[in-house]
Amino acid sequence: MIDRRALLAAPLALAACERFAEAQTPARAVPGLKSITPFPVGTCIKSNQIDDPAWVDLAGKHVSQLTPEWEMKMEYILADGLDRPRFDGPDRIAAFAAERGMRLHGHTLIWYAQGEEAFAHLDRARFTAAFDAYIATVAGRYRGKVVSWDVVNEPITDAGDGLRDCHWSRALGQDGYIIRAFERARAADPDAVLFLNDYNLENTPRKGATFLKLVERLMKAGAPIGGIGSQAHLDIEIPAGQIRTFIRNAASLGLPIHISELDASLRSDRRVDLRSREQRLAQQTGRVGELVEAFMALPASQRFAFTVWGLRDTDSWLRQGERDDGQDQPLPFDAGGRPNPMFDAMVAGFTKRA
């Protein structure tokens, strides 16, 4: 009889062995990403990574900007309710960034996916006051410590057919809550660069176009929007040229652009994926290379920062929990800090001469 538990355990054991082997193999000498670019290179951070010497060393070599992955989000800050905000995690990250001489990018003040429970019991007047107070408290606390904020995160529907319906828009209007958030963020921190941030802008042309139309409306309405954040969670199967087109269209608005959350999974939503690993890596490096080259083609004043959403594959949100089979390579480095093909594609793009 086949031992089903042994069959299920085998892939996990193999993945664990691969991660152990990666950690034992020395990384080849490579240039620090931050040393080869005229703009900041960033990564996301969780406060517990500060206790990981290998992560600290890797980040110290390659990045000059940090984005809190979770601990500046409303879900974390308001975990104990509106009246008891917690700042232990983001405070620790802010202190670490300052100690290391790294820029800090705030992420994020208002997001459709969070805050509904904390605000649900409030009438319209109290809702509006609490909305204003939250932004004033959080953005004000980190005034002078962050250089920028994702003020509103992911306002466009997945299909790109309009703005999301959410608790913020129902109370304050679809454009209204966004404009109000930017105005309150500007009042709380007059010097921070204020970004609108979203995903799939390169992957889904309709969504990218709707996002840019929203940016134009905000600018015409006088909202103090200071930059465009493109998360760049790349679908490696999109046609060549699609990324370049979006970046060029975004650049036409004249605002700084932040590649804010780059990763590029090798996985596919297809039920049956017949691509070899080599084919998937070629697609990945092709799309990442296109993104880097499109960013490098921007005027210097529009290249705000280039951020990867994690450094090592095992740090990635794509490699957490039951979905992790130990095989995906969505980030520049493997579990042992050795450069992946994605790293080489980034270096090639950053150092390519016109």
Side-chain angles (χ1 to χ4, degrees):
M1 180 180 293
I2 297 175
D3 187 338
R4 293 182 64 200
R5 287 176 299 178
L7 284 174
L8 291 171
L12 296 176
L14 178 60
C17 289
E18 288 175 348
R19 286 193 288 267
F20 178 79
E22 288 174 349
Q24 301 306 304
T25 303
R28 62 181 166 88
V30 294
L33 290 172
K34 68 180 183 181
S35 71
I36 60 173
T37 61
F39 45 80
V41 174
T43 191
C44 60
I45 178 176
K46 297 184 284 286
S47 62
N48 62 7
Q49 289 174 315
I50 297 170
D51 301 318
D52 178 354
W55 183 91
V56 170
D57 288 346
L58 195 65
K61 178 175 181 178
H62 292 284
V63 305
S64 51
Q65 179 174 294
L66 298 174
T67 303
E69 185 171 359
W70 176 56
E71 288 150 304
M72 270 189 182
K73 289 176 177 171
M74 192 176 285
E75 181 181 53
Y76 181 90
I77 292 174
L78 296 186
D80 298 324
L82 275 169
D83 298 329
R84 292 188 296 169
R86 59 173 181 165
F87 295 105
D88 54 319
D91 281 355
R92 189 179 186 207
I93 292 170
F96 176 79
E99 289 166 4
R100 296 282 170 155
M102 296 177 174
R103 297 201 322 184
L104 185 63
H105 175 70
H107 175 78
T108 176
L109 291 171
I110 298 296
W111 187 21
Y112 81 92
Q114 294 182 359
E116 185 167 14
E117 183 176 344
F119 283 73
H121 64 288
L122 303 177
D123 60 30
R124 172 67 182 272
R126 292 167 64 211
F127 185 106
T128 304
F131 180 93
D132 293 351
Y134 178 82
I135 295 173
T137 298
V138 178
R141 185 182 187 89
Y142 297 103
R143 179 174 176 172
K145 297 178 181 179
V146 303
V147 298
S148 49
W149 275 103
D150 288 329
V151 176
V152 174
N153 196 45
E154 301 175 0
I156 307 298
T157 65
D158 284 345
D161 53 358
L163 273 64
R164 294 182 186 276
D165 174 64
C166 62
H167 47 295
W168 311 122
S169 66
R170 289 191 291 272
L172 301 171
Q174 284 201 318
D175 284 12
Y177 87 89
I178 300 172
I179 293 170
R180 192 178 191 95
F182 274 92
E183 290 174 344
R184 297 305 182 269
R186 171 55 69 240
D189 190 346
D191 297 323
V193 183
L194 306 181
F195 282 84
L196 188 72
N197 191 53
D198 215 322
Y199 67 95
N200 278 356
L201 304 179
E202 310 89 350
N203 299 335
T204 308
R206 185 181 185 188
K207 182 169 185 176
T210 301
F211 177 88
L212 295 180
K213 288 177 183 176
L214 172 61
V215 173
E216 287 186 287
R217 288 203 307 276
L218 296 175
M219 294 171 70
K220 289 178 180 177
I225 182 169
I228 290 169
S230 181
Q231 293 181 16
H233 297 292
L234 295 182
D235 177 353
I236 64 175
E237 298 185 67
I238 62 175
Q242 195 163 294
I243 295 169
R244 188 174 292 108
T245 297
F246 172 75
I247 298 296
R248 184 174 61 245
N249 291 341
S252 69
L253 297 179
L255 296 173
I257 294 174
H258 183 195
I259 302 303
S260 59
E261 303 181 21
L262 171 63
D263 51 34
S265 177
L266 300 181
R267 287 199 287 254
S268 173
D269 292 334
R270 299 186 226 169
R271 179 170 294 183
V272 178
D273 188 350
L274 299 178
R275 295 171 300 161
S276 68
R277 189 171 187 80
E278 290 71 23
Q279 288 173 317
R280 286 178 283 152
L281 284 169
Q283 288 178 314
Q284 181 199 62
T285 55
R287 299 293 71 74
V288 169
E290 181 183 335
L291 176 68
V292 173
E293 291 183 16
F295 189 76
M296 292 296 291
L298 293 171
S301 62
Q302 289 188 267
R303 297 190 303 230
F304 181 78
F306 194 99
T307 294
V308 290
W309 208 236
L311 290 174
R312 303 169 301 193
D313 293 328
T314 44
D315 298 327
S316 174
W317 66 285
L318 295 164
R319 291 281 303 265
Q320 305 307 308
E322 295 180 357
R323 67 185 301 177
D324 181 21
D325 61 1
Q327 300 301 305
D328 203 4
Q329 289 181 219
L331 293 173
F333 301 95
D334 68 16
R338 300 181 306 181
N340 283 329
M342 179 175 167
F343 173 88
D344 295 325
M346 291 171 65
V347 170
F350 287 145
T351 58
K352 183 178 180 180
R353 296 294 180 260

